[in-house]
Amino acid sequence: APRRPRAPRVCALVALQDPSDTRGAKKRPLIVFKAGVFGNAGDSMSRLMMMHFFDEGLFNFIAIGNITGSGFVKDNGRLALGGYDEGMQLVQIIQKLQKSSLWKVTSSTHVVGVSLGGHAALFTSYLSQFNDDPNGRPLVSSVAALCPVVDLQPTMANLFKDNLKGKLARKKLLSTL
């Protein structure tokens, strides 16, 4: 029988209200943050975003590393660049969370992405319109894409062109493999 491919491993930085503490606990929005190119779940950008949102109010927060990040590449032995793959990854993660105890304390889901993670956030917005949560709510209530990569091919061509910046980008990329 053909071997079934294993599900990808995804690391996350998580800051949550305790779902088992139901004494007066109010539902809170869940923010799903997607890191930019080469970003990992626990890096400085993810921690900065978590602290920013906690300064703004009470949220549940999950930061997901980029699929170009060294953590994802090492754990899964593959590399992809943004777009549909990462948008679909976020939709699947949110759907898994809907089946968990976290969903009992979640009022709404919001996706925030930076740079290449913003590209993923835009795809998540598009893909979420085809997937509601079990209660008929939209899968994602809002999306914020901060400096998103909108046109991926010219962006990658510029990032990896034959100059010092391109050499450093290639070195960074190859160091994750």
Side-chain angles (χ1 to χ4, degrees):
R3 209 169 99 184
R4 190 171 156 214
R6 72 176 174 89
R9 293 183 69 194
V10 178
C11 293
L13 172 67
V14 181
L16 305 173
Q17 167 187 348
D18 182 357
S20 65
D21 181 12
T22 56
R23 300 167 291 156
K26 293 183 178 180
K27 290 185 172 192
R28 296 181 184 170
L30 169 66
I31 295 176
V32 179
F33 172 73
K34 187 66 163 173
V37 68
F38 307 132
N40 291 304
D43 67 11
S44 58
M45 177 58 78
S46 297
R47 291 190 314 270
L48 177 69
M49 292 303 288
M50 179 184 67
M51 289 185 287
H52 170 72
F53 285 115
F54 279 121
D55 282 347
E56 295 295 319
L58 297 175
F59 295 94
N60 290 314
F61 181 88
I62 298 175
I64 308 293
N66 197 284
I67 58 178
T68 61
S70 59
F72 186 87
V73 173
K74 286 177 185 172
D75 287 345
N76 297 287
R78 67 184 179 95
L79 172 73
L81 286 176
Y84 177 82
D85 288 340
E86 288 199 289
M88 199 63 219
Q89 179 193 65
L90 290 177
V91 166
Q92 291 169 344
I93 287 169
I94 294 166
Q95 288 173 328
K96 284 191 181 291
L97 291 171
Q98 288 174 337
K99 297 173 186 161
S100 73
S101 60
L102 172 63
W103 211 247
K104 291 184 271 184
V105 295
T106 300
S107 60
S108 56
T109 306
H110 308 270
V111 175
V112 177
V114 173
S115 186
L116 192 57
H119 194 237
L122 293 173
F123 265 91
T124 303
S125 175
Y126 173 73
L127 295 168
S128 72
Q129 68 184 319
F130 304 108
N131 299 278
D132 288 336
D133 82 358
N135 298 320
R137 296 183 303 186
L139 185 69
V140 175
S141 300
S142 70
V143 170
L146 308 174
C147 299
V149 175
V150 177
D151 202 349
L152 188 59
Q153 185 176 359
T155 301
M156 289 297 129
N158 183 47
L159 179 64
F160 292 108
K161 65 183 172 184
D162 196 20
N163 60 17
L164 180 61
K165 180 177 75 172
K167 182 178 180 179
L168 293 172
R170 285 189 296 278
K171 183 177 178 179
K172 174 71 175 171
L173 177 65
L174 292 174
S175 73
T176 66
L177 301 177

